[in-house]
Amino acid sequence: MIHALLLTPAYPPFLGGGERYVRSLAQQLAQRGITVTILTSLARNEQALWAGTSSQTDSWEPEKDSLVTVYRLPIRSFPGGRIGLLSWRKCMVLLSTLPGDQSFLLQRMARLFPPIQRLDAALHTLPHDVNIVHGFNISWEYSLLAGWQYAQQHNLPFVATPFMHFGTGHDRVARNSTMDHQRRLLIAANSVLPLTANEKDGLEQLGVPAKNITAVGGGIDPLPPLGDTAVLQQKHQLTTPYAIFIGRASQEKGAIHAAQATLALAQQGFDLTLALIGQPAPEFTHFYNRLSPAEQRRIRPLGILSDTDKHSLLAAATALLLPSRTDSFGIVLLEAWAHGVPVIAARAGGIPGVVDDGENGLLIPFGDVPAISAALRRLLDDPELRRSLGENGREKVMAVYSWKHVAERVHRQYSQLLNLANL
């Protein structure tokens, strides 16, 4: 009997691709007969990861999420909030560039990402029949690190799904997830489960033994019923044709680049609007507030929408834009393809391991606004190209991206590790 403990910095209703990944995988594993316990934070949105959460009690009572048991712990606030934590992170990155292995000090500093309260105490009050530990998300690594240390103390197999952000190679995005303590953790893990072959290659270059790495992929959840798109477009003052961006509207995700490319097309006489679904980052809000009223009518930040509204707007879009360098996979790519919508994405992170350039999408260099504009212009000028890219994407989703297949691969890894542990 397998009882897996999954540790993640946040969990739905937190909106994020990594959080959705953990939930979908956990539910599929539970359906296969695995007992799954989730240990996470109380964070319900990204702001809570930076600013902290409050709890009215010192106890942590479990909640049920279908077949999965979830424990949520508060996050304490950090002096200076987001700015303070970012400064702390920069110090960690600089420390990691010094000669020698700085893992010991970095591990202590990493307990603030996020600063989950009483995590170590909670680990030691969990059911005693846990026999495998699986940690997620190397960019907010405290829970991943605590899970690894707990597994070492109890002689349990440790599995890591890091959601590595390799960025475009050696940029600050890559440095944020390849510090000494992060590399040491991944090298020591019994099994590392990246989502794509690109991520697997990057892990090998970091020194993770190839025999310990298995790319398991990602999946797509069942699509919700669609609403009245015309009503939604009127509600959000959204004109057609429009491209759509889904995710945190930030510089690293490419939201500003997507907006700049849309405005550049407008100057060339192309009537295109950009809808952005997701929480805006401070830098995007600053960018948007400086636009003219005419420009703001073309750039439509819609905030966080329900799944039904999101999919209804996505299904009618000309293209999905994901010009990001911080995505290890990009589940929104699969969602667009499921509706037959073509995608334009950055050749960065794990995205090239998902999108086949020219076959089911168009890849552009991260930050290259003219390239985004040119890709959008190609799709606007060529309806047949739009159709073929979207349909090829739909076929790939149906053939490759199934949560059932992902869970089978992860279950197989668990079983192999436990068999080895019992020899």
Side-chain angles (χ1 to χ4, degrees):
M1 193 69 183
I2 300 176
H3 185 168
L5 169 63
L6 277 54
L7 296 104
T8 176
Y11 186 81
F14 189 105
L15 295 175
E19 291 71 28
R20 292 165 58 199
Y21 187 99
V22 175
R23 184 180 189 275
S24 296
L25 174 60
Q27 297 293 343
Q28 285 290 327
L29 292 174
Q31 290 177 24
R32 297 177 66 84
I34 296 175
T35 301
V36 179
T37 298
I38 305 282
L39 188 55
T40 187
S41 74
L42 279 169
R44 307 283 170 151
N45 53 51
E46 186 174 347
Q47 175 62 22
L49 285 177
W50 297 103
T53 63
S54 60
S55 174
Q56 303 301 317
T57 176
D58 289 334
S59 64
W60 40 85
E61 295 297 327
E63 62 184 64
K64 294 298 291 186
D65 180 19
S66 187
L67 300 174
V68 174
T69 302
V70 182
Y71 291 84
R72 299 182 189 268
L73 303 174
I75 299 175
R76 68 179 181 274
S77 60
F78 185 82
R82 185 174 187 270
I83 295 176
L85 271 177
L86 284 174
S87 299
W88 189 261
R89 194 64 164 185
K90 289 178 182 177
C91 289
M92 291 178 65
V93 171
L94 290 172
L95 178 62
S96 188
T97 64
L98 297 178
D101 188 341
Q102 310 298 328
S103 293
F104 178 76
L105 181 55
L106 287 167
Q107 285 176 6
R108 297 179 66 85
M109 297 176 73
R111 294 170 69 88
L112 295 175
F113 288 89
I116 301 175
Q117 292 181 275
R118 306 190 298 275
L119 178 55
D120 295 318
L123 277 167
H124 290 90
T125 61
L126 291 171
H128 297 297
D129 62 340
V130 167
N131 53 11
I132 195 160
V133 181
H134 190 165
F136 295 81
N137 198 338
I138 201 75
S139 296
W140 290 89
E141 69 266 35
Y142 178 31
S143 56
L144 185 68
L145 182 64
W148 172 50
Q149 294 171 337
Y150 175 83
Q152 288 182 307
Q153 294 166 5
H154 293 82
N155 196 30
L156 299 175
F158 178 73
V159 180
T161 296
F163 301 143
M164 291 297 291
H165 293 163
F166 286 114
T168 54
H170 301 286
D171 53 34
R172 65 185 183 89
V173 173
R175 292 194 295 271
N176 185 58
S177 56
T178 56
M179 289 180 273
D180 292 344
H181 67 298
Q182 295 164 320
R183 290 198 303 270
R184 182 177 181 184
L185 183 157
L186 294 172
I187 290 171
N190 300 97
S191 180
V192 182
L193 306 181
L195 278 54
T196 67
N198 294 56
E199 190 180 355
K200 179 179 185 296
D201 293 343
L203 288 164
E204 288 185 30
Q205 293 175 19
L206 282 181
V208 180
K211 65 181 179 62
N212 292 349
I213 310 173
T214 302
V216 296
I220 183 170
D221 296 326
L223 299 179
L226 300 184
D228 189 324
T229 305
V231 171
L232 286 171
Q233 290 172 357
Q234 183 177 15
K235 173 183 176 181
H236 295 293
Q237 301 177 13
L238 182 61
T239 58
T240 56
Y242 62 88
I244 197 163
F245 173 97
I246 300 175
R248 184 171 186 264
S250 68
Q251 181 77 17
E252 303 296 352
K253 284 278 190 179
I256 295 176
H257 301 140
Q260 290 170 331
T262 303
L263 295 175
L265 277 180
Q267 293 178 351
Q268 299 170 28
F270 284 83
D271 185 18
L272 182 71
T273 304
L274 176 65
L276 300 103
I277 299 176
Q279 183 174 343
E283 66 268 22
F284 182 85
T285 300
H286 178 70
F287 163 82
Y288 181 77
N289 289 339
R290 296 177 64 187
L291 299 179
S292 69
E295 290 172 328
Q296 289 183 352
R297 285 193 290 272
R298 291 200 177 273
I299 308 301
R300 304 300 303 159
L302 309 185
I304 297 172
L305 302 183
S306 68
D307 265 2
T308 293
D309 288 359
K310 179 187 79 172
H311 280 276
S312 299
L313 291 175
L314 176 58
T318 297
L320 171 78
L321 298 185
L322 188 64
S324 165
R325 67 176 178 182
T326 61
D327 277 74
S328 57
F329 187 79
I331 289 177
V332 294
L333 297 169
L334 310 188
E335 293 178 334
W337 283 340
H339 294 293
V341 174
V343 302
I344 298 172
R347 190 178 285 105
I351 290 175
V354 180
V355 178
D356 306 297
D357 188 27
E359 183 175 335
N360 46 44
L362 301 176
L363 293 178
I364 48 87
F366 171 79
D368 191 334
V369 173
I372 301 173
S373 294
L376 280 168
R377 184 168 182 170
R378 283 185 65 189
L379 295 184
L380 290 169
D381 284 339
D382 193 341
E384 177 56 28
L385 177 62
R386 292 202 307 269
R387 187 203 62 77
S388 64
L389 292 177
E391 285 303 313
N392 290 342
R394 193 200 305 268
E395 292 175 6
K396 185 172 185 177
V397 168
M398 295 175 64
V400 178
Y401 295 111
S402 158
W403 280 120
K404 178 182 178 182
H405 294 154
V406 176
E408 286 175 355
R409 298 179 194 116
V410 175
H411 191 175
R412 192 179 306 122
Q413 290 298 307
Y414 287 179
S415 299
Q416 291 175 358
L417 291 173
L418 289 171
N419 287 338
L420 289 173
N422 290 331
L423 292 178

